[in-house]
Amino acid sequence: MDEETERLDALTQQAGRWLALSASPAERHTTAVVAGPYDRVAWRDVYARSAALRELAAQLLTRHAHAPDLLADVFLCAYQAAPRLRDSTVMAPSRLLHHQVVTALTQSPGFAALRRDTAGDAYAAAMAVLAQASALRGLLERSREVRERTGRADRARQEAEAAAAAVGETLRQAAEKADGQGQVPAPVAAAVRRAVGAAEAAEDEARREDGAAAQAMAAAVPGIRSAARNAASAAAEAVRQEAALMRAWGVDAGETERMPFEERARLAERLRSGRLARWAELIGRFRQMAAGERARKVEHATGELVGVTLGDDLSRVIPSELAVVGVPELRAVFAARYAAGELMLYDSRGEQGTGRGAVIACVDTSHSMYAEGPGGVTREAWSKACALALLDQARHAGRDFVGILFSAADKLQVFRFPGDRPARVTDVLDFAETFLGGGTDFQRPLGTAAKILEEEFDDASRARGDIVLITDDACEVSETWTRLWNEIKRRLDFRLFGIAIATPGTATASGSVLESLCDNLRTVDDLTDVHTTADLFRVI
């Protein structure tokens, strides 16, 4: 054989393995979670809309060059109903840490509970990512060696693939130089052999780096699992608290899911900050109590339920008495007791049946309402919680609700919530947050409330509205005003309930202004006891 030439087929056989690798290099994925285009769009959209996510990504980039891919995987784990992970063998070495993190997350006990609140909800899933920010920062800081090792392995694997591609390129050049008998010049053949040698060396180096990365990863796995458990628990708690906060303020899950991302984020921040966050528990307790009282209402029973009595009014018979009618042997006993007027009936007193007109809460926002009571509960918080429970009560009955905030005679603000449309949560929060300050005047807010009921009567022929005056003070009213007040009250047939919050005894004593104005006056001394007004929600 000519020393200056070699056969192409021999060179091709020698480099065949590298030629195959260069033709179809193994696919290396950069994300651990298998996701369709819609899931990816959800991530890109929420990332673009959330400044907090972008800020977190920027912080993590100082520790890890592939932080956005990690955040995407954590988001998709929370967002998907049943996340499916790729096999670690198809991952780019530099993303093996991501794979281990999301594997540990999906296997942690708290993650299933988290996903019940976040699956399909991009905002909640993004919040879960943010709740894990501290754990992710700590994890990346502690896994520096793993990141360095997997980074080297990634670069070595890329170099090995490039070397395999170089083998393919030298073979292509050799084929171009070959003559009709398949002979190629020696320099070209030597280039092929050098390319093969370089590919073998690169492959050996990639294997060594893969082994070192695997050892580093194995050492880090216990710490990753512990951090993932803590992160999942923190995320589940954060999501749970926000959901509870939304429920306390009357925002249901369906409403938040329909909100644009920015609006929901602003709402959540508003609820988490300032006075609204401190009031959430009290408001939630009031709403639950009011809902319970609605469930205990007795149909067709007039007035305030105070106990059980005897009589023959079948509209007020208690359920256990009616059950007797279902037993043939006891029907005669029931008939005899009915004839004798000895049936057990619900006993009520003092109030008419539930009204049909608007429910109007006149809430005192004078300076004294800032005073703090037992358990750190302010008079303002108590009064606003009661008013929001009345809003729920009105909506449940399909009645209009009007919130009137008042203090001095020149300070008054009216919030209207029609019963035929949903109450916007931002309007509810505006009502709850507004505080006027100043002194106390009853005439203007009560006069405004009466005028609203009069307009309702004239426009819709609805009477029997309910006004609830919530205050911690007493003030004088003129005789002229009192005469006009009594006249319009008789004409419109509305009721005035009074709730005196932590007031001195003289303010609610017999003959006081509050006592003379109100059909039903309650005094609240313990601001932590929501049950002091429980029966109010059975008669409104």
Side-chain angles (χ1 to χ4, degrees):
M1 178 181 296
D2 188 339
E3 293 182 359
E4 296 298 323
T5 61
E6 291 195 31
R7 290 195 60 81
L8 179 61
D9 54 354
L11 292 173
T12 302
Q13 184 177 5
Q14 183 182 14
R17 175 187 172 207
W18 309 107
L19 186 61
L21 289 175
S22 66
S24 57
E27 183 179 9
R28 299 291 176 176
H29 292 279
T30 57
T31 55
V33 181
V34 178
Y38 291 108
D39 292 336
R40 295 293 176 192
V41 167
W43 163 246
R44 288 195 296 270
D45 182 64
V46 78
Y47 185 81
R49 292 171 179 270
S50 173
L53 278 178
R54 296 193 300 275
E55 181 180 348
L56 175 60
Q59 293 173 359
L60 296 184
L61 275 170
T62 62
R63 297 173 172 84
H64 185 38
H66 309 297
D69 288 339
L70 174 59
L71 294 184
D73 277 333
V74 175
F75 169 85
L76 291 170
C77 277
Y79 181 68
Q80 293 181 337
R84 183 165 58 91
L85 304 187
R86 292 187 171 90
D87 192 275
S88 60
T89 58
V90 301
M91 295 294 297
S94 60
R95 307 311 202 276
L96 287 173
L97 177 63
H98 301 187
H99 190 280
Q100 187 59 54
V101 168
V102 296
T103 298
L105 277 175
T106 55
Q107 293 175 352
S108 61
F111 207 74
L114 170 67
R115 206 159 47 234
R116 283 196 291 270
D117 291 321
T118 60
D121 187 336
Y123 173 86
M127 195 181 110
V129 175
L130 294 172
Q132 298 174 75
S134 177
L136 292 174
R137 280 192 291 265
L139 188 152
L140 290 178
E141 189 63 37
R142 292 189 298 272
S143 61
R144 182 175 299 175
E145 182 179 357
V146 174
R147 289 186 286 112
E148 290 176 353
R149 286 293 185 182
T150 54
R152 291 177 189 171
D154 205 4
R155 290 189 295 273
R157 179 56 55 194
Q158 292 173 9
E159 290 171 0
E161 291 174 353
V167 171
E169 177 61 21
T170 56
L171 281 176
R172 185 188 64 78
Q173 294 175 0
E176 291 177 351
K177 300 289 186 180
D179 59 18
Q181 284 75 42
Q183 303 294 328
V184 298
V188 176
V192 173
R193 286 194 293 273
R194 285 195 300 274
V196 170
E200 289 174 346
E203 180 65 21
D204 291 340
E205 179 66 15
R207 289 197 187 97
R208 283 193 295 272
E209 292 295 347
D210 284 345
Q215 290 179 352
M217 183 66 72
V221 163
I224 292 173
R225 288 176 178 169
S226 176
R229 283 195 298 271
N230 294 336
S233 297
E237 179 64 15
V239 172
R240 185 196 65 77
Q241 287 182 356
E242 179 163 310
L245 194 60
M246 293 286 185
R247 286 194 300 272
W249 283 96
V251 185
D252 59 44
E255 184 177 357
T256 55
E257 288 175 6
R258 292 189 298 270
M259 283 184 184
F261 182 89
E262 297 90 341
E263 181 182 347
R264 185 170 174 183
R266 286 194 300 269
L267 172 62
E269 181 59 29
R270 188 176 180 184
L271 293 179
R272 283 195 296 264
S273 61
R275 293 179 297 158
L276 298 185
R278 297 194 298 271
W279 297 352
E281 181 182 358
L282 180 63
I283 288 170
R285 287 166 58 198
F286 253 99
R287 283 187 148 136
Q288 291 174 6
M289 180 267 292
E293 293 303 320
R294 283 197 297 272
R296 293 175 56 193
K297 274 190 176 182
V298 183
E299 295 297 332
H300 311 302
T302 60
E304 177 185 352
L305 182 64
V306 295
V308 176
T309 186
L310 299 179
D312 59 359
D313 185 349
L314 295 179
S315 69
R316 295 190 289 132
V317 174
I318 68 174
S320 60
E321 288 279 38
L322 292 175
V324 172
V325 181
V327 182
E329 293 82 358
L330 297 179
R331 288 174 184 167
V333 176
F334 180 88
R337 293 180 61 193
Y338 171 65
E342 295 179 351
L343 295 175
M344 286 190 291
L345 314 176
Y346 284 113
D347 190 16
S348 60
R349 71 181 180 198
E351 302 293 349
Q352 305 172 27
T354 301
R356 290 294 176 265
V359 176
I360 303 178
C362 296
V363 182
D364 187 350
T365 61
S366 60
H367 282 313
S368 59
M369 294 293 284
Y370 261 139
E372 192 169 280
V377 180
T378 65
R379 299 173 186 179
E380 182 199 11
W382 200 99
S383 63
K384 296 288 181 61
C386 184
L388 292 176
L390 288 169
L391 168 60
D392 285 354
Q393 194 80 354
R395 301 204 64 76
H396 181 80
R399 301 167 67 184
D400 292 350
F401 176 82
V402 181
I404 299 177
L405 304 181
F406 71 92
S407 57
D410 60 340
K411 294 185 177 181
L412 182 139
Q413 194 162 344
V414 178
F415 295 82
R416 294 176 180 266
F417 300 91
D420 59 355
R421 70 190 70 142
R424 294 182 58 216
V425 66
T426 51
D427 293 339
V428 174
L429 296 184
D430 288 342
F431 169 64
E433 285 186 312
T434 300
F435 192 87
L436 303 178
T440 305
D441 173 78
F442 289 166
Q443 292 185 183
R444 189 178 176 201
L446 291 178
T448 301
K451 184 177 180 180
I452 290 172
L453 292 179
E454 185 175 29
E455 291 171 351
E456 183 183 41
F457 179 78
D458 292 340
D459 295 342
S461 299
R462 284 201 298 267
R464 293 176 58 200
D466 292 311
I467 302 174
V468 182
L469 175 64
I470 308 174
T471 183
D472 70 337
D473 204 351
C475 68
E476 295 300 320
V477 294
S478 69
E479 291 185 11
T480 301
W481 182 89
T482 302
R483 184 170 59 255
L484 294 174
W485 168 260
N486 290 332
E487 288 175 2
I488 194 171
K489 189 172 182 292
R490 281 193 298 271
R491 184 163 63 86
L492 299 179
D493 193 24
F494 62 78
R495 299 174 294 182
L496 175 61
F497 297 85
I499 301 178
I501 303 175
T503 56
T506 55
T508 56
S510 177
S512 68
V513 172
L514 280 175
E515 196 273 339
S516 61
L517 285 176
C518 298
D519 301 295
N520 185 306
L521 178 61
R522 293 161 171 77
T523 302
V524 178
D525 295 318
D526 183 357
L527 300 184
T528 63
D529 182 13
V530 302
H531 298 286
T532 52
T533 58
D535 60 330
L536 180 68
F537 297 96
R538 288 200 299 273
V539 294
I540 290 183

